[in-house]
Amino acid sequence: MARNVEFDEELAISRAMDLFWKKGYTGTSMRDLCEVMGVNASSIYNTIGDKHQLFIRCIKYYTESRMEAARKQLKLIDSPFKAIEKFINASAHAITNEPDSCLAIKTTFELAVSDEQVQKILKKDNDFTYSLILDLVTKALEQKEITISQDKEMLTDFIINHFTGWHESFIIHKDEKRIKKMAKFLIEQLSR
Amino acid sequence: MARNVEFDEELAISRAMDLFWKKGYTGTSMRDLCEVMGVNASSIYNTIGDKHQLFIRCIKYYTESRMEAARKQLKLIDSPFKAIEKFINASAHAITNEPDSCLAIKTTFELAVSDEQVQKILKKDNDFTYSLILDLVTKALEQKEITISQDKEMLTDFIINHFTGWHESFIIHKDEKRIKKMAKFLIEQLSR
DNA sequence: CTAATTCTGTAACGTTCGTTATAGAATTAT
DNA sequence: ATAATTCTATAACGAACGTTACAGAATTAG
Protein backbone atom coordinates (compact mmCIF):
# COMPACT_ATOMS: atom_id res chain seq x y z
CA MET A 1 0.00 0.00 0.00
CA ALA A 2 1.41 3.34 0.97
CA ARG A 3 3.61 5.33 3.31
CA ASN A 4 2.48 6.79 6.61
CA VAL A 5 5.48 8.65 7.93
CA GLU A 6 4.64 12.06 9.29
CA PHE A 7 6.41 15.09 10.71
CA ASP A 8 6.65 15.24 14.52
CA GLU A 9 3.27 16.81 15.10
CA GLU A 10 3.68 17.63 18.80
CA LEU A 11 7.00 19.35 18.20
CA ALA A 12 5.52 21.30 15.29
CA ILE A 13 2.50 22.34 17.37
CA SER A 14 4.78 23.41 20.20
CA ARG A 15 6.80 25.61 17.84
CA ALA A 16 3.68 27.08 16.27
CA MET A 17 2.44 27.84 19.77
CA ASP A 18 5.63 29.77 20.54
CA LEU A 19 5.12 31.94 17.46
CA PHE A 20 1.41 32.60 18.18
CA TRP A 21 2.47 33.39 21.74
CA LYS A 22 4.93 36.01 20.56
CA LYS A 23 2.93 37.59 17.73
CA GLY A 24 -0.72 36.90 18.50
CA TYR A 25 -3.23 35.10 16.30
CA THR A 26 -3.83 37.82 13.73
CA GLY A 27 -0.20 38.93 13.75
CA THR A 28 1.11 35.48 12.80
CA SER A 29 1.23 34.43 9.14
CA MET A 30 1.01 30.92 7.77
CA ARG A 31 4.37 31.42 6.06
CA ASP A 32 6.09 32.19 9.36
CA LEU A 33 4.29 29.23 10.92
CA CYS A 34 5.51 26.90 8.16
CA GLU A 35 9.06 28.11 8.72
CA VAL A 36 9.20 27.56 12.49
CA MET A 37 7.30 24.28 12.20
CA GLY A 38 9.67 23.05 9.52
CA VAL A 39 6.69 21.83 7.55
CA ASN A 40 5.12 22.86 4.28
CA ALA A 41 1.76 24.54 4.13
CA SER A 42 0.27 21.62 2.22
CA SER A 43 1.18 19.23 5.02
CA ILE A 44 -0.39 21.48 7.63
CA TYR A 45 -3.63 21.78 5.65
CA ASN A 46 -3.69 18.04 5.01
CA THR A 47 -3.11 16.97 8.62
CA ILE A 48 -4.14 19.77 10.98
CA GLY A 49 -6.33 22.05 8.92
CA ASP A 50 -6.42 25.79 8.40
CA LYS A 51 -4.86 28.56 10.48
CA HIS A 52 -7.71 28.65 12.97
CA GLN A 53 -7.65 24.90 13.57
CA LEU A 54 -3.89 25.08 14.01
CA PHE A 55 -4.34 27.82 16.59
CA ILE A 56 -6.95 25.78 18.44
CA ARG A 57 -4.46 22.93 18.64
CA CYS A 58 -1.85 25.36 20.00
CA ILE A 59 -3.92 26.83 22.84
CA LYS A 60 -5.18 23.38 23.73
CA TYR A 61 -1.56 22.27 23.91
CA TYR A 62 -0.73 25.32 26.02
CA THR A 63 -3.58 24.95 28.49
CA GLU A 64 -3.20 21.18 28.81
CA SER A 65 0.52 21.50 29.48
CA ARG A 66 -0.18 24.12 32.14
CA MET A 67 -2.87 22.01 33.78
CA GLU A 68 -0.54 19.04 33.92
CA ALA A 69 2.25 21.17 35.41
CA ALA A 70 -0.04 22.71 38.03
CA ARG A 71 -1.31 19.30 39.08
CA LYS A 72 2.24 18.02 39.50
CA GLN A 73 3.41 21.13 41.31
CA LEU A 74 0.73 21.06 43.98
CA LYS A 75 -0.01 17.42 44.73
CA LEU A 76 3.16 16.83 46.74
CA ILE A 77 2.51 19.61 49.24
CA ASP A 78 0.84 18.49 52.44
CA SER A 79 -0.42 21.78 53.90
CA PRO A 80 -3.21 23.29 51.78
CA PHE A 81 -2.19 26.80 52.78
CA LYS A 82 1.44 26.16 51.85
CA ALA A 83 0.22 24.88 48.49
CA ILE A 84 -1.76 28.08 47.91
CA GLU A 85 1.25 30.12 48.98
CA LYS A 86 3.48 28.21 46.60
CA PHE A 87 0.99 28.65 43.77
CA ILE A 88 0.86 32.42 44.32
CA ASN A 89 4.63 32.76 44.55
CA ALA A 90 5.21 30.53 41.53
CA SER A 91 2.78 32.67 39.54
CA ALA A 92 4.49 35.90 40.61
CA HIS A 93 7.85 34.41 39.72
CA ALA A 94 6.72 33.19 36.30
CA ILE A 95 5.08 36.52 35.49
CA THR A 96 8.24 38.49 36.27
CA ASN A 97 10.68 36.09 34.65
CA GLU A 98 9.15 34.84 31.43
CA PRO A 99 9.82 36.88 28.30
CA ASP A 100 6.26 36.83 27.01
CA SER A 101 3.08 37.28 28.98
CA CYS A 102 0.63 34.40 29.42
CA LEU A 103 -0.72 33.08 26.10
CA ALA A 104 -4.12 32.29 27.61
CA ILE A 105 -4.58 35.87 28.82
CA LYS A 106 -3.34 37.38 25.57
CA THR A 107 -5.77 35.15 23.69
CA THR A 108 -8.61 36.04 26.05
CA PHE A 109 -8.29 39.69 25.12
CA GLU A 110 -7.56 39.12 21.43
CA LEU A 111 -10.03 36.39 20.52
CA ALA A 112 -12.23 35.10 23.33
CA VAL A 113 -14.68 38.01 23.07
CA SER A 114 -15.58 37.14 19.48
CA ASP A 115 -14.57 33.48 19.16
CA GLU A 116 -16.80 31.11 21.10
CA GLN A 117 -14.66 28.04 20.49
CA VAL A 118 -11.60 29.77 21.90
CA GLN A 119 -13.63 31.14 24.80
CA LYS A 120 -14.76 27.66 25.76
CA ILE A 121 -11.22 26.26 25.73
CA LEU A 122 -10.02 29.11 27.91
CA LYS A 123 -12.99 28.69 30.23
CA LYS A 124 -12.08 25.04 30.67
CA ASP A 125 -8.54 26.09 31.59
CA ASN A 126 -9.88 28.68 34.04
CA ASP A 127 -12.30 26.19 35.56
CA PHE A 128 -9.47 23.74 36.08
CA THR A 129 -7.35 26.25 38.00
CA TYR A 130 -10.48 27.30 39.88
CA SER A 131 -11.27 23.77 41.05
CA LEU A 132 -7.63 23.18 41.96
CA ILE A 133 -7.52 26.27 44.17
CA LEU A 134 -11.05 25.79 45.47
CA ASP A 135 -10.03 22.41 46.79
CA LEU A 136 -7.03 23.90 48.60
CA VAL A 137 -9.05 26.84 49.94
CA THR A 138 -11.72 24.48 51.25
CA LYS A 139 -9.14 22.40 53.09
CA ALA A 140 -7.32 25.47 54.38
CA LEU A 141 -10.58 26.81 55.76
CA GLU A 142 -11.32 23.49 57.47
CA GLN A 143 -7.88 23.57 59.06
CA LYS A 144 -8.38 27.26 59.94
CA GLU A 145 -5.26 28.21 57.96
CA ILE A 146 -7.37 30.77 56.15
CA THR A 147 -9.44 33.09 58.31
CA ILE A 148 -10.13 36.12 56.17
CA SER A 149 -13.49 34.89 54.87
CA GLN A 150 -15.65 31.76 54.83
CA ASP A 151 -16.87 32.24 51.26
CA LYS A 152 -14.56 29.73 49.60
CA GLU A 153 -15.83 30.24 46.06
CA MET A 154 -15.35 33.99 46.26
CA LEU A 155 -11.95 33.57 47.91
CA THR A 156 -10.83 31.27 45.11
CA ASP A 157 -11.90 33.81 42.50
CA PHE A 158 -10.27 36.55 44.54
CA ILE A 159 -6.91 34.77 44.67
CA ILE A 160 -6.76 33.76 41.02
CA ASN A 161 -7.93 37.18 39.93
CA HIS A 162 -4.68 38.86 40.97
CA PHE A 163 -2.48 37.17 38.37
CA THR A 164 -3.90 38.87 35.30
CA GLY A 165 -3.26 42.30 36.77
CA TRP A 166 0.27 41.30 37.66
CA HIS A 167 0.90 40.46 34.02
CA GLU A 168 -0.39 43.83 32.91
CA SER A 169 1.60 45.63 35.61
CA PHE A 170 4.81 43.89 34.61
CA ILE A 171 4.35 44.67 30.90
CA ILE A 172 3.80 48.34 31.70
CA HIS A 173 6.14 48.97 34.64
CA LYS A 174 8.66 46.10 34.35
CA ASP A 175 9.03 46.28 38.12
CA GLU A 176 9.36 42.91 39.80
CA LYS A 177 9.24 44.42 43.30
CA ARG A 178 5.74 45.78 42.86
CA ILE A 179 4.47 42.32 41.96
CA LYS A 180 6.35 40.63 44.79
CA LYS A 181 4.96 43.10 47.33
CA MET A 182 1.40 42.47 46.21
CA ALA A 183 1.97 38.71 46.35
CA LYS A 184 3.36 38.95 49.87
CA PHE A 185 0.46 41.12 50.99
CA LEU A 186 -2.09 38.77 49.45
CA ILE A 187 -0.63 35.78 51.28
CA GLU A 188 -0.50 37.68 54.58
CA GLN A 189 -4.11 38.70 54.22
CA LEU A 190 -5.37 35.17 53.75
CA SER A 191 -3.99 33.97 57.06
CA ARG A 192 -4.22 37.04 59.25
CA MET B 1 -4.95 81.60 -1.45
CA ALA B 2 -6.43 78.26 -0.69
CA ARG B 3 -8.96 76.28 1.21
CA ASN B 4 -8.45 74.97 4.70
CA VAL B 5 -11.61 73.08 5.48
CA GLU B 6 -11.02 69.71 7.04
CA PHE B 7 -13.00 66.70 8.13
CA ASP B 8 -13.98 66.62 11.79
CA GLU B 9 -10.78 65.08 13.06
CA GLU B 10 -11.89 64.38 16.62
CA LEU B 11 -15.04 62.62 15.43
CA ALA B 12 -13.02 60.60 12.92
CA ILE B 13 -10.45 59.63 15.59
CA SER B 14 -13.24 58.63 17.93
CA ARG B 15 -14.76 56.36 15.30
CA ALA B 16 -11.40 54.86 14.38
CA MET B 17 -10.86 54.21 18.09
CA ASP B 18 -14.14 52.29 18.28
CA LEU B 19 -13.04 50.05 15.42
CA PHE B 20 -9.56 49.41 16.87
CA TRP B 21 -11.29 48.71 20.16
CA LYS B 22 -13.48 46.05 18.59
CA LYS B 23 -10.97 44.40 16.26
CA GLY B 24 -7.53 45.14 17.72
CA TYR B 25 -4.64 46.88 15.98
CA THR B 26 -3.56 44.07 13.67
CA GLY B 27 -7.13 42.98 13.01
CA THR B 28 -8.23 46.37 11.74
CA SER B 29 -7.63 47.31 8.09
CA MET B 30 -7.13 50.80 6.70
CA ARG B 31 -10.09 50.23 4.37
CA ASP B 32 -12.42 49.55 7.30
CA LEU B 33 -10.97 52.56 9.10
CA CYS B 34 -11.64 54.82 6.08
CA GLU B 35 -15.21 53.61 5.97
CA VAL B 36 -16.08 54.25 9.63
CA MET B 37 -14.17 57.55 9.61
CA GLY B 38 -15.99 58.70 6.48
CA VAL B 39 -12.66 59.87 5.11
CA ASN B 40 -10.50 58.75 2.22
CA ALA B 41 -7.16 57.07 2.78
CA SER B 42 -5.32 59.97 1.13
CA SER B 43 -6.76 62.41 3.64
CA ILE B 44 -5.73 60.25 6.56
CA TYR B 45 -2.19 59.90 5.26
CA ASN B 46 -1.99 63.65 4.54
CA THR B 47 -3.26 64.78 7.93
CA ILE B 48 -2.70 62.06 10.53
CA GLY B 49 -0.15 59.74 8.98
CA ASP B 50 0.04 55.98 8.61
CA LYS B 51 -1.89 53.26 10.40
CA HIS B 52 0.41 53.24 13.41
CA GLN B 53 0.24 57.01 13.88
CA LEU B 54 -3.53 56.82 13.60
CA PHE B 55 -3.60 54.17 16.28
CA ILE B 56 -1.38 56.26 18.55
CA ARG B 57 -3.87 59.12 18.20
CA CYS B 58 -6.69 56.71 19.07
CA ILE B 59 -5.21 55.32 22.29
CA LYS B 60 -4.14 58.82 23.31
CA TYR B 61 -7.73 59.91 22.77
CA TYR B 62 -8.94 56.92 24.77
CA THR B 63 -6.61 57.38 27.72
CA GLU B 64 -7.06 61.15 27.85
CA SER B 65 -10.84 60.83 27.80
CA ARG B 66 -10.65 58.31 30.63
CA MET B 67 -8.35 60.48 32.70
CA GLU B 68 -10.65 63.44 32.29
CA ALA B 69 -13.67 61.34 33.26
CA ALA B 70 -11.92 59.90 36.33
CA ARG B 71 -10.88 63.37 37.49
CA LYS B 72 -14.44 64.63 37.19
CA GLN B 73 -15.94 61.59 38.85
CA LEU B 74 -13.81 61.76 41.98
CA LYS B 75 -13.24 65.42 42.72
CA LEU B 76 -16.73 66.04 44.07
CA ILE B 77 -16.56 63.37 46.72
CA ASP B 78 -15.54 64.59 50.17
CA SER B 79 -14.59 61.34 51.91
CA PRO B 80 -11.46 59.78 50.41
CA PHE B 81 -12.65 56.30 51.31
CA LYS B 82 -16.03 56.92 49.69
CA ALA B 83 -14.18 58.06 46.59
CA ILE B 84 -12.15 54.86 46.48
CA GLU B 85 -15.29 52.84 47.05
CA LYS B 86 -17.02 54.68 44.23
CA PHE B 87 -14.04 54.15 41.92
CA ILE B 88 -14.03 50.40 42.61
CA ASN B 89 -17.78 50.06 42.13
CA ALA B 90 -17.77 52.18 38.99
CA SER B 91 -15.01 50.00 37.55
CA ALA B 92 -16.89 46.80 38.38
CA HIS B 93 -20.03 48.25 36.83
CA ALA B 94 -18.25 49.35 33.65
CA ILE B 95 -16.49 46.01 33.26
CA THR B 96 -19.74 44.05 33.49
CA ASN B 97 -21.82 46.40 31.35
CA GLU B 98 -19.69 47.56 28.44
CA PRO B 99 -19.77 45.40 25.30
CA ASP B 100 -16.02 45.43 24.72
CA SER B 101 -13.29 45.07 27.27
CA CYS B 102 -10.95 47.97 28.11
CA LEU B 103 -8.99 49.19 25.06
CA ALA B 104 -5.94 50.03 27.18
CA ILE B 105 -5.75 46.50 28.57
CA LYS B 106 -6.33 44.87 25.18
CA THR B 107 -3.59 47.05 23.73
CA THR B 108 -1.25 46.24 26.63
CA PHE B 109 -1.40 42.56 25.76
CA GLU B 110 -1.42 43.02 21.99
CA LEU B 111 1.21 45.72 21.49
CA ALA B 112 2.83 47.10 24.63
CA VAL B 113 5.28 44.19 24.93
CA SER B 114 6.85 44.96 21.56
CA ASP B 115 5.92 48.61 20.93
CA GLU B 116 7.73 51.04 23.20
CA GLN B 117 5.78 54.09 22.09
CA VAL B 118 2.51 52.38 22.93
CA GLN B 119 3.94 51.10 26.22
CA LYS B 120 4.86 54.64 27.27
CA ILE B 121 1.41 56.02 26.53
CA LEU B 122 -0.20 53.23 28.52
CA LYS B 123 2.28 53.73 31.35
CA LYS B 124 1.29 57.40 31.49
CA ASP B 125 -2.36 56.36 31.75
CA ASN B 126 -1.51 53.85 34.47
CA ASP B 127 0.58 56.39 36.36
CA PHE B 128 -2.29 58.85 36.27
CA THR B 129 -4.74 56.40 37.81
CA TYR B 130 -2.04 55.41 40.27
CA SER B 131 -1.48 58.99 41.48
CA LEU B 132 -5.23 59.59 41.65
CA ILE B 133 -5.78 56.57 43.89
CA LEU B 134 -2.55 57.09 45.82
CA ASP B 135 -3.80 60.52 46.82
CA LEU B 136 -7.08 59.07 48.05
CA VAL B 137 -5.37 56.19 49.84
CA THR B 138 -2.98 58.60 51.58
CA LYS B 139 -5.87 60.72 52.83
CA ALA B 140 -7.92 57.68 53.81
CA LEU B 141 -4.97 56.40 55.84
CA GLU B 142 -4.59 59.77 57.57
CA GLN B 143 -8.25 59.74 58.47
CA LYS B 144 -7.97 56.10 59.54
CA GLU B 145 -10.65 55.06 57.03
CA ILE B 146 -8.23 52.45 55.75
CA THR B 147 -6.62 50.20 58.33
CA ILE B 148 -5.54 47.11 56.45
CA SER B 149 -1.98 48.32 55.78
CA GLN B 150 0.16 51.43 56.07
CA ASP B 151 2.05 50.85 52.81
CA LYS B 152 0.11 53.32 50.67
CA GLU B 153 2.02 52.68 47.43
CA MET B 154 1.51 48.94 47.66
CA LEU B 155 -2.12 49.41 48.63
CA THR B 156 -2.70 51.62 45.60
CA ASP B 157 -1.16 48.99 43.32
CA PHE B 158 -3.17 46.32 45.10
CA ILE B 159 -6.48 48.09 44.53
CA ILE B 160 -5.93 48.97 40.88
CA ASN B 161 -4.56 45.53 40.14
CA HIS B 162 -7.96 43.88 40.58
CA PHE B 163 -9.61 45.48 37.56
CA THR B 164 -7.65 43.69 34.85
CA GLY B 165 -8.56 40.30 36.28
CA TRP B 166 -12.20 41.32 36.46
CA HIS B 167 -12.11 42.05 32.74
CA GLU B 168 -10.64 38.64 32.00
CA SER B 169 -13.13 36.92 34.31
CA PHE B 170 -16.08 38.62 32.66
CA ILE B 171 -14.92 37.71 29.14
CA ILE B 172 -14.53 34.07 30.15
CA HIS B 173 -17.42 33.54 32.59
CA LYS B 174 -19.82 36.39 31.74
CA ASP B 175 -20.90 36.33 35.38
CA GLU B 176 -21.54 39.76 36.86
CA LYS B 177 -22.12 38.34 40.36
CA ARG B 178 -18.58 36.98 40.64
CA ILE B 179 -17.15 40.42 39.90
CA LYS B 180 -19.54 42.17 42.26
CA LYS B 181 -18.66 39.79 45.10
CA MET B 182 -14.95 40.41 44.65
CA ALA B 183 -15.53 44.16 44.57
CA LYS B 184 -17.58 44.03 47.76
CA PHE B 185 -14.95 41.92 49.48
CA LEU B 186 -12.12 44.21 48.40
CA ILE B 187 -13.92 47.26 49.83
CA GLU B 188 -14.68 45.46 53.08
CA GLN B 189 -11.05 44.44 53.45
CA LEU B 190 -9.74 47.97 53.12
CA SER B 191 -11.72 49.26 56.07
CA ARG B 192 -11.94 46.28 58.33
C1' DC C 1 10.21 -5.44 -9.43
C1' DT C 2 5.46 -3.04 -10.04
C1' DA C 3 1.37 -0.81 -8.41
C1' DA C 4 -0.92 1.78 -5.07
C1' DT C 5 -1.06 5.26 -1.94
C1' DT C 6 0.48 9.24 0.84
C1' DC C 7 3.60 12.33 1.67
C1' DT C 8 6.10 17.00 0.47
C1' DG C 9 7.90 21.05 -2.39
C1' DT C 10 6.92 24.30 -5.83
C1' DA C 11 4.39 27.53 -7.46
C1' DA C 12 0.61 29.88 -7.96
C1' DC C 13 -4.33 31.10 -6.96
C1' DG C 14 -7.40 35.15 -5.93
C1' DT C 15 -7.77 38.56 -1.99
C1' DT C 16 -6.58 41.81 0.86
C1' DC C 17 -3.04 44.39 2.93
C1' DG C 18 -0.82 49.28 3.77
C1' DT C 19 0.33 52.90 0.99
C1' DT C 20 0.64 56.43 -2.73
C1' DA C 21 0.50 58.88 -7.50
C1' DT C 22 -2.44 61.63 -9.79
C1' DA C 23 -6.14 64.32 -11.41
C1' DG C 24 -9.70 67.18 -10.50
C1' DA C 25 -12.98 69.45 -7.20
C1' DA C 26 -13.25 72.95 -3.61
C1' DT C 27 -11.96 76.97 -1.40
C1' DT C 28 -9.75 81.44 -0.63
C1' DA C 29 -6.99 85.86 -1.76
C1' DT C 30 -6.40 89.10 -5.03
C1' DA D 1 -13.03 86.17 -12.66
C1' DT D 2 -8.35 84.37 -11.99
C1' DA D 3 -4.70 82.25 -9.74
C1' DA D 4 -3.02 79.76 -5.94
C1' DT D 5 -3.44 76.32 -2.88
C1' DT D 6 -5.42 72.28 -0.43
C1' DC D 7 -8.62 69.19 -0.21
C1' DT D 8 -10.73 64.45 -1.81
C1' DA D 9 -11.81 60.44 -5.03
C1' DT D 10 -10.16 57.09 -8.05
C1' DA D 11 -7.39 53.76 -8.94
C1' DA D 12 -3.59 51.35 -8.67
C1' DC D 13 1.00 49.91 -6.65
C1' DG D 14 3.88 45.98 -4.93
C1' DA D 15 3.78 42.97 -1.12
C1' DA D 16 1.84 39.81 1.85
C1' DC D 17 -2.12 37.23 3.13
C1' DG D 18 -4.58 32.36 3.62
C1' DT D 19 -5.17 28.66 0.78
C1' DT D 20 -4.75 25.05 -2.83
C1' DA D 21 -3.61 22.44 -7.38
C1' DC D 22 -0.37 19.56 -8.91
C1' DA D 23 3.71 16.99 -9.89
C1' DG D 24 6.91 14.08 -8.17
C1' DA D 25 9.37 11.88 -4.23
C1' DA D 26 8.78 8.40 -0.68
C1' DT D 27 6.95 4.44 1.20
C1' DT D 28 4.54 0.03 1.52
C1' DA D 29 1.94 -4.31 -0.29
C1' DG D 30 1.90 -7.72 -3.35
Side-chain angles (χ1 to χ4, degrees):
Chain A
M1 285 291 204
R3 66 187 285 194
N4 62 340
V5 296
E6 272 185 33
F7 57 90
D8 185 339
E9 209 169 290
E10 187 172 322
L11 182 65
I13 291 290
S14 147
R15 287 181 174 158
M17 181 195 74
D18 286 336
L19 195 62
F20 278 130
W21 197 342
K22 214 179 293 171
K23 309 182 101 182
Y25 176 72
T26 317
T28 304
S29 74
M30 281 301 288
R31 277 169 182 77
D32 289 343
L33 286 165
C34 290
E35 199 176 321
V36 298
M37 294 168 82
V39 175
N40 265 277
S42 315
S43 304
I44 298 175
Y45 280 90
N46 283 334
T47 54
I48 297 166
D50 63 12
K51 188 189 178 185
H52 190 265
Q53 289 172 284
L54 172 57
F55 183 76
I56 294 292
R57 288 284 302 274
C58 289
I59 32 163
K60 278 188 177 168
Y61 183 80
Y62 180 80
T63 56
E64 280 159 16
S65 306
R66 287 210 314 175
M67 289 192 259
E68 189 51 39
R71 233 189 304 256
K72 273 186 190 166
Q73 186 195 69
L74 297 183
K75 74 173 173 187
L76 292 173
I77 304 171
D78 45 352
S79 150
F81 184 79
K82 284 242 170 71
I84 293 171
E85 190 177 351
K86 166 139 193 186
F87 190 76
I88 292 171
N89 285 327
S91 299
H93 184 266
I95 288 164
T96 55
N97 284 279
E98 278 175 14
D100 284 290
S101 186
C102 169
L103 176 60
I105 296 175
K106 288 177 90 170
T107 304
T108 299
F109 288 106
E110 186 188 358
L111 291 183
V113 186
S114 57
D115 187 323
E116 203 182 333
Q117 194 181 357
V118 166
Q119 182 260 328
K120 278 181 180 162
I121 294 167
L122 294 174
K123 176 165 159 49
K124 200 173 154 189
D125 181 56
N126 263 275
D127 289 345
F128 171 83
T129 309
Y130 180 84
S131 68
L132 207 72
I133 303 300
L134 179 61
D135 182 53
L136 295 172
V137 168
T138 306
K139 287 173 183 161
L141 277 172
E142 283 166 5
Q143 301 180 21
K144 299 201 194 323
E145 290 179 329
I146 289 181
T147 49
I148 191 174
S149 162
Q150 293 302 310
D151 187 342
K152 54 188 193 293
E153 287 86 4
M154 187 278 298
L155 266 181
T156 302
D157 261 342
F158 187 80
I159 294 168
I160 298 172
N161 189 76
H162 286 78
F163 307 148
T164 311
W166 294 350
H167 274 107
E168 191 205 7
S169 169
F170 192 70
I171 292 172
I172 296 298
H173 303 295
K174 296 163 188 159
D175 187 346
E176 188 170 352
K177 282 181 197 160
R178 287 170 83 155
I179 315 291
K180 289 282 159 72
K181 276 188 183 175
M182 285 188 269
K184 186 164 174 283
F185 180 68
L186 171 61
I187 292 165
E188 284 166 7
Q189 285 310 299
L190 294 176
S191 60
R192 89 189 142 67
Chain B
M1 285 294 200
R3 63 186 289 193
N4 61 342
V5 295
E6 273 185 30
F7 58 90
D8 185 339
E9 210 168 290
E10 188 172 323
L11 182 64
I13 291 290
S14 144
R15 286 182 175 158
M17 180 195 76
D18 285 337
L19 196 60
F20 278 129
W21 197 343
K22 216 179 293 173
K23 309 182 103 183
Y25 176 71
T26 317
T28 304
S29 75
M30 282 300 289
R31 278 168 182 80
D32 289 342
L33 286 164
C34 290
E35 198 177 322
V36 299
M37 293 168 82
V39 175
N40 264 278
S42 315
S43 303
I44 298 175
Y45 280 90
N46 284 333
T47 55
I48 296 167
D50 64 13
K51 188 190 177 185
H52 191 263
Q53 289 173 284
L54 172 58
F55 182 75
I56 294 294
R57 288 283 303 274
C58 289
I59 33 166
K60 278 188 177 168
Y61 183 81
Y62 180 80
T63 56
E64 280 159 15
S65 306
R66 286 209 315 174
M67 290 192 258
E68 189 52 38
R71 234 189 305 257
K72 272 187 189 162
Q73 186 196 69
L74 297 183
K75 74 173 177 191
L76 293 173
I77 304 171
D78 45 352
S79 150
F81 184 80
K82 284 243 170 69
I84 295 170
E85 189 178 350
K86 167 142 190 183
F87 189 75
I88 293 171
N89 285 327
S91 299
H93 183 266
I95 288 165
T96 54
N97 284 280
E98 278 175 14
D100 284 291
S101 186
C102 170
L103 176 60
I105 295 175
K106 289 176 90 169
T107 304
T108 299
F109 287 105
E110 186 187 357
L111 292 185
V113 186
S114 57
D115 187 324
E116 203 183 333
Q117 192 180 358
V118 166
Q119 182 259 330
K120 278 179 179 161
I121 294 166
L122 293 175
K123 176 166 160 48
K124 200 173 154 189
D125 182 56
N126 263 274
D127 288 346
F128 171 83
T129 309
Y130 180 85
S131 68
L132 206 73
I133 303 300
L134 179 62
D135 182 55
L136 294 173
V137 168
T138 306
K139 287 174 182 159
L141 278 172
E142 284 165 4
Q143 300 180 24
K144 300 201 194 322
E145 289 180 330
I146 289 182
T147 50
I148 191 172
S149 162
Q150 293 302 311
D151 186 343
K152 54 187 189 295
E153 287 86 5
M154 187 279 297
L155 267 181
T156 302
D157 261 341
F158 187 82
I159 293 167
I160 296 172
N161 189 76
H162 285 79
F163 306 149
T164 311
W166 294 351
H167 272 106
E168 192 205 7
S169 169
F170 193 70
I171 292 171
I172 296 297
H173 303 295
K174 296 162 187 160
D175 187 345
E176 187 169 353
K177 281 182 197 159
R178 288 170 82 154
I179 315 292
K180 290 280 159 73
K181 276 188 182 175
M182 286 188 268
K184 185 164 174 283
F185 180 68
L186 170 62
I187 293 165
E188 284 167 5
Q189 285 310 299
L190 295 176
S191 60
R192 92 190 139 66

